[in-house]
Amino acid sequence: MTSIAIIGAGPQMGLAIARTFGSQGFDVALISRNREKLDGLVGRLTAEGINAAAFPADVLDHDALTQALKDAATRFGGIDVLEYSPLAVESTVLATPAESDPSHIQREIEFQLYGAMAATKAVLPAMREAGTGTLLYTTGAGSLDPLPMVGNVNAAAAALRNWVVNLHKELDGTGIQAAHVAIDVALGGASIDPTLKAATPEAISSVYWELHTTKRDQGEIVYRG
């Protein structure tokens, strides 16, 4: 059996990635803070014939996140693919570079980079032992081309991107793929940048499957539609 753990699972990208991998026979572990929302997603996937289960955890609570991933690995016999893309729009305070103080960026660093590091440490040893695995991390394109209005978020996303690209280099030759996906479109048509093209989660999710299967030599893909 093969499985994917999606951290930050929600009704857009998380669900689309779950469907893409689930349609290929993957078991799906969904991880986010809200049990009720996760159960709803599990119900939708189950109705489509995809084996899915919910493992609630907050990415800011590294012990809980690690335990959720351990529980998922126990449930599905291991984790073959990790995808990290949590969002917390309702609790994010946006700040331009000039407006930012360390607390604005620290919270985003903890959410984006430190959570990703904790998740990776939870699954990487088993992948090293198996000699195979896929680690995928998602940001907006502000990690490469930042916008002043979201300066603090972009700074943390850039840190995550740097770490992932470096991880890809470190894992070269091990059989384990690490890659960064930067989404440079308006997901579902909603964006603070009116110049972006719109794209559906379903269109973007194929990128993750390609990185897992046919583009394992690539450390990064920027999706522009």
Side-chain angles (χ1 to χ4, degrees), residues 32-224:
S32 71
R33 293 171 296 172
N34 190 306
R35 160 68 83 171
E36 184 178 356
K37 290 182 179 179
L38 285 181
D39 287 343
L41 295 176
V42 168
R44 293 170 69 175
L45 292 168
T46 300
E48 297 170 16
I50 296 171
N51 188 27
F55 301 89
D58 189 331
V59 300
L60 296 175
D61 184 339
H62 296 173
D63 290 340
L65 179 59
T66 298
Q67 187 61 52
L69 287 164
K70 287 182 178 179
D71 291 344
T74 299
R75 170 73 174 267
F76 295 131
I79 294 173
D80 302 279
V81 181
L82 174 76
E83 193 278 323
Y84 187 87
S85 56
L87 286 174
V89 176
E90 71 285 352
S91 61
T92 298
V93 177
L94 301 181
T96 69
E99 293 169 341
S100 295
D101 61 41
S103 66
H104 290 128
I105 296 176
Q106 180 62 31
R107 191 267 181 193
E108 291 302 316
I109 286 285
E110 291 174 353
F111 189 72
Q112 297 194 56
L113 177 59
Y114 296 168
M117 292 171 68
T120 303
K121 286 182 179 295
V123 301
L124 185 55
M127 290 183 177
R128 285 190 183 276
E129 184 175 350
T132 187
T134 302
L135 303 163
L136 304 174
Y137 309 82
T138 305
T139 71
S143 59
L144 295 95
D145 184 17
L147 290 173
M149 68 184 75
V150 286
N152 60 321
V153 175
N154 289 167
L160 175 59
R161 173 187 178 263
N162 181 284
W163 182 80
V164 174
V165 172
N166 217 12
L167 180 64
H168 175 82
K169 294 176 182 179
E170 181 185 3
L171 295 176
D172 183 42
T174 66
I176 303 168
Q177 160 72 328
H180 169 242
V181 179
I183 299 177
D184 193 17
V185 293
L187 189 61
S191 173
I192 61 174
D193 184 352
T195 67
L196 292 180
K197 294 195 305 183
T200 65
E202 291 73 22
I204 303 169
S205 65
S206 62
V207 167
Y208 297 81
W209 182 251
E210 290 169 0
L211 284 167
H212 174 62
T213 55
T214 62
K215 296 183 178 180
R216 296 186 64 80
D217 60 328
Q218 295 191 26
E220 180 171 64
I221 287 181
V222 181
Y223 184 89
R224 296 189 172 95

Side-chain angles (χ1 to χ4, degrees), residues 1-3 25-27 51 76-77 80:
M1 298 295 289
T2 50
S3 64
F26 275 64
D27 295 326
N51 188 27
F76 295 131
D80 302 279

